[in-house]
Amino acid sequence: MSSLFAPSSASSASGPMPPAWLDTLRPDDRLAAAAYENSPAPLRALLKSAIALYFQLWGETPSETAHSVRNAAAGFAWERAEGPVSWTLAVMDPAYASPARLLAALMPAVLAGVEMILLVWPDKPPAPVQSVALDLAGLENRYVMPSAGDSAPTVTDLIRELTAQGEGRLLLFPTERSRFSPLFQAVRETARALRVRLWQDRPAPCIALIADGADSAGEAALRDRLQWAHGDAVVQVVSPGKRPGRNDFAACCTARPAAFEEPAAAYAPLLLGPGMEACWVHEGLSPRFFRLARHAIRLYPDKEFS
């Protein structure tokens, strides 16, 4: 059965390609290798657990799916086809410090089947924790671009070139200090002008660590793991008698099994247990954000109008 519409550029034989000039802007591979080797294996294991969770949570989506109905009695034919966007571009502050939230935003694009995922940093190479997370996710299209210049292409130039190849998505990872910088402002304005859908991380979330002080060494280790995975987060210790409210905390972490049996409204939106400190779920950001759906509707059998 032939499709009722032309396939998207994301599913074409050749597929989208990064601009050739980007190759000259790749950071030194030795920086990423050193970052990986210098990161403690137990902390890398936390990120691996997070990636495994995302595969379980969402699974891998086929590149292209289609569902069709042809109903002669009703007199119509209908088809819904779905596929990944042509590209995703992540723009990151080099000082962005949360490998956990970075993976939670990028893995949905991977699982949605996006073939071209590009990662760019203004002026400086990424922080080591970013490199470790990206290595574990298998994302290698990394570039350091000038934030401004008279002749060199900028991030906004790249967005325009990518948009010419098809529909895409933008992900922004600023710090609290850079979220309103000229660069991120320019990217947001360009996205608005080109009608590119954009998602932006919220820096410095508040995370509650529920602890009663009975195991000070264990609680200190738990806090250290949280701080490594969410480097810019504000981690606040809360006694078990208090429930971290949804309006005050983005997440909470506890080793108390009973907390996981309580109603959803009892705690912050995200509740983490030991061993899952590097997990995160961005509300509203799933593989669906990186997918396009098209509907085709026609009369059936075909009718001609005079």
Side-chain angles (χ1 to χ4, degrees), residues 205-220:
C206 292
I207 301 177
L209 173 58
I210 303 174
D212 57 12
D215 180 12
S216 57
E219 291 167 2

Side-chain angles (χ1 to χ4, degrees), residues 8 11 35 49 69 73 86 94 99 104 108 112 126 156 179 184 218 228 231 249 264:
S8 67
S11 60
S49 294
V69 174
S86 296
T156 55
R179 61 193 305 188
F184 283 105
W228 182 84
F249 296 93

Side-chain angles (χ1 to χ4, degrees), residues 9-17 115:
S9 60
S11 60
S12 62
S14 59
M17 296 292 292
E115 292 183 11

Side-chain angles (χ1 to χ4, degrees), residues 46-133:
L46 293 177
L47 297 178
K48 293 177 182 178
S49 294
I51 292 173
L53 170 71
Y54 301 136
F55 273 89
Q56 282 293 112
L57 186 62
W58 294 307
E60 288 187 90
T61 308
S63 292
E64 190 113 3
T65 61
H67 174 70
S68 61
V69 174
R70 293 186 175 185
N71 191 324
F76 70 87
W78 168 84
E79 180 175 276
R80 183 184 192 277
E82 186 179 292
V85 295
S86 296
W87 54 271
T88 292
L89 174 64
V91 182
M92 286 172 268
D93 188 313
Y96 183 83
S98 175
R101 299 203 311 279
L102 181 63
L103 282 178
L106 289 172
M107 286 305 299
V110 173
L111 296 172
V114 181
E115 292 183 11
M116 185 165 66
I117 301 176
L118 308 180
L119 312 124
V120 301
W121 294 264
D123 302 321
K124 298 178 182 178
V129 290
Q130 295 181 32
S131 293
V132 173

Side-chain angles (χ1 to χ4, degrees), residues 279-300:
C279 295
W280 197 263
V281 177
H282 297 290
E283 195 67 34
L285 188 63
S286 71
R288 184 163 295 278
F289 179 78
F290 301 93
R291 304 278 291 180
L292 299 174
R294 296 178 179 84
H295 298 263
I297 306 167
R298 63 183 173 92
L299 296 175
Y300 183 79

Side-chain angles (χ1 to χ4, degrees), residues 151-221:
S151 57
T154 63
V155 175
T156 55
D157 295 325
L158 175 59
I159 295 170
R160 292 186 181 92
E161 288 201 33
L162 293 174
T163 303
Q165 297 196 44
E167 188 166 345
R169 297 288 184 265
L170 276 170
L171 304 177
L172 304 188
F173 299 90
T175 62
E176 188 70 27
R177 188 173 181 178
S178 65
R179 61 193 305 188
F180 299 113
S181 68
L183 170 73
F184 283 105
Q185 292 277 40
V187 170
R188 286 189 288 267
E189 290 170 5
T190 301
R192 190 180 305 113
L194 297 175
R195 298 184 178 180
V196 179
R197 291 187 65 185
L198 177 150
W199 175 90
Q200 177 172 300
D201 183 49
R202 299 181 66 178
C206 292
I207 301 177
L209 173 58
I210 303 174
D212 57 12
D215 180 12
S216 57
E219 291 167 2

